[in-house]
Amino acid sequence: MLVVRAINSADLDGLYQLACEVGSGMTTLKADMPMLGERLRVACASFAETIEPAKRDYLFVMEDTDNGRLAGVCGIKGAVGLEEPFYNYRIGTLVHSSRELGVFSRMETLYLSNDLTGSTELCSLFLHPDYRSGSNGKLLSKSRFLFIAQFPHLFTEKLIAEMRGYQAEDGSSPFYEGLGRHFFKMDFDHVDDLTSLGKKSFIAELMPRQPLYVAYLPDEAQQVIGQVHLSTAPARHLLEQEGMHFEGYVDIFDAGPVLQTRVSELRALRDSVLVAASDRIAPFDESGELRMVSNTVLADFRLIATQSSPVDGQIVLSPAEQLALHCQSGAALRTLTLNVRKPSHVHNVQP
């Protein structure tokens, strides 16, 4: 059985093994043992509530309970940019016109921005290739929304997610090669590594503060602005299903899109419900609809997928499912369908 749970101090080796599989472009999950060890320490303190909410970094792992292997990881940062700058490009428009010459032009621009400072951030989503089948990726990604729905008071009003930008087959970033390299004079991977270590002062020191005209960039760089890495496209779709959307902010290195929403507008806040665990015999469910079910314990948060559906405020779980959630009959649980339900269309028939 696969369980998404709060990370603990025994997971460092497994986390490192996952990070070794990631590759470049994900600055929050580098195969650096000291950095991962520090992040694990902060994550454990976050679940223990020994640091203030804005500084918390909740890390979750997907564990295969059949063999104890970590199949994936994902995270939520309480707030970004409060201790180190958080930069993005904001896509804007400048208008140039001359009535005398009859010329009117609209030019797309990139503004270096700190607009998203203080936002809660979804981050570090990675599923091991061995487990990329069925609904595993969907479960891992969407598990964070149920956690936010259970503990909304721990997060800021705005929720963002920086998506990994487009990369060519050789791992290079067309956007970085067309823009960033001119200012930083170093390879994309080197810049990526510096950013992951929190060394971001060079961004303000080397990047121009005035608007950059997109039309001046090479065609290859222009075409990938707001585009995601091939392996990130499914993750973007899942986040958009849950209520997140693109509002014109992109990463300053690879131009990957930043999705955002208000926490209150998430599907999980709107549609998830609290139920009680039950161990009575469950009726046969013909729908086969998968649901996420989590416990409601911050320090030991755990979530699984089940085909059981809530009835009269209760949800029937097998002994194995209750064990996976560290709960007993009568315990409070939160549940939400894994897939977004399509609205039913009612056709009015005129007599």
Side-chain angles (χ1 to χ4, degrees):
M1 181 183 299
L2 294 177
V3 179
V4 180
R5 60 169 176 80
I7 202 168
N8 61 52
S9 57
D11 292 323
L12 182 57
D13 288 341
L15 182 63
Y16 179 79
Q17 291 172 9
L18 286 173
C20 288
E21 297 283 340
V22 173
S24 65
M26 187 181 293
T27 58
T28 60
L29 198 63
K30 289 290 186 180
D32 181 298
M33 188 64 85
M35 185 183 74
L36 291 175
E38 174 60 18
R39 190 166 184 203
L40 180 59
R41 183 194 67 78
V42 173
C44 291
S46 300
F47 287 112
E49 298 187 274
T50 57
I51 55 179
E52 59 184 277
K55 295 182 179 180
R56 293 180 190 175
D57 182 5
Y58 301 96
L59 270 181
F60 308 87
V61 291
M62 174 178 276
E63 179 185 359
D64 186 341
T65 59
D66 293 337
N67 54 29
R69 183 182 179 188
L70 297 189
V73 60
C74 61
I76 311 172
K77 288 184 180 290
V80 297
L82 301 184
E83 295 184 337
E84 58 185 35
F86 188 78
Y87 293 102
N88 294 105
Y89 277 133
R90 174 169 53 86
I91 301 173
T93 303
L94 283 178
V95 173
H96 300 273
S97 65
S98 170
R99 182 172 297 179
E100 181 181 358
L101 298 178
V103 174
F104 181 92
S105 64
R106 299 172 58 181
M107 303 290 288
E108 195 171 75
T109 56
L110 297 174
Y111 293 85
L112 191 62
S113 152
N114 302 115
D115 293 352
L116 301 180
T117 295
S119 303
T120 292
E121 182 189 22
L122 300 180
C123 60
S124 306
L125 176 68
F126 180 74
L127 183 64
H128 194 282
D130 292 351
Y131 289 86
R132 292 176 187 173
S133 62
S135 300
N136 296 344
K138 189 178 297 185
L139 178 67
L140 180 62
S141 177
K142 295 190 177 188
S143 63
R144 296 171 292 184
F145 295 113
L146 214 57
F147 182 82
I148 293 173
Q150 180 58 37
F151 307 105
H153 60 284
L154 299 178
F155 304 104
T156 63
E157 181 182 19
K158 181 173 288 186
L159 179 69
I160 65 171
E162 283 192 311
M163 310 303 294
R164 193 175 180 184
Y166 178 86
Q167 291 182 358
E169 291 184 2
D170 62 1
S172 64
S173 166
F175 183 78
Y176 180 79
E177 294 302 321
L179 177 60
R181 182 179 288 278
H182 295 292
F183 297 101
F184 300 127
K185 308 299 183 183
M186 61 185 75
D187 291 338
F188 176 74
D189 287 344
H190 189 194
V191 171
D192 200 45
D193 289 339
L194 289 174
T195 305
S196 69
L197 295 172
K199 298 178 180 179
K200 299 182 179 180
S201 60
F202 70 93
I203 298 174
E205 293 167 352
L206 298 177
M207 290 297 288
R209 284 287 178 174
Q210 61 268 30
L212 300 172
Y213 286 88
V214 172
Y216 290 174
L217 300 179
D219 289 343
E220 295 82 2
Q222 294 184 42
Q223 291 168 6
V224 300
I225 295 175
Q227 301 301 308
V228 295
H229 191 282
L230 183 62
S231 64
T232 306
R236 176 177 184 171
H237 178 64
L238 293 180
L239 296 184
E240 290 173 336
Q241 282 185 327
E242 297 302 316
M244 304 192 73
H245 46 270
F246 178 54
E247 290 192 5
Y249 290 87
V250 298
D251 182 80
I252 65 170
F253 297 124
D254 62 19
V258 181
L259 304 186
Q260 58 181 292
T261 190
R262 294 179 183 273
V263 166
S264 59
E265 295 174 355
L266 290 172
R267 180 177 73 101
L269 270 290
R270 184 179 66 249
D271 295 345
S272 69
V273 294
L274 285 171
V275 294
S278 173
D279 52 12
R280 61 183 174 81
I281 299 176
F284 179 69
D285 186 356
E286 295 182 350
S287 68
E289 183 177 42
L290 278 175
R291 301 186 69 88
M292 295 182 288
V293 180
S294 75
N295 64 19
T296 55
V297 182
L298 175 62
D300 186 32
F301 183 80
R302 301 174 73 87
L303 178 146
I304 63 170
T306 180
Q307 288 188 327
S308 184
S309 297
V311 178
D312 298 328
Q314 294 186 322
I315 189 166
V316 177
L317 300 176
S318 69
E321 290 174 329
Q322 290 190 36
L323 179 63
L325 291 175
H326 288 182
C327 73
Q328 297 178 335
S329 181
L333 305 173
R334 184 171 291 275
T335 184
L336 176 71
T337 58
L338 183 60
N339 297 313
V340 178
R341 287 174 171 170
K342 295 181 180 180
S344 57
H345 299 284
V346 178
H347 299 281
N348 293 323
V349 180
Q350 299 295 329

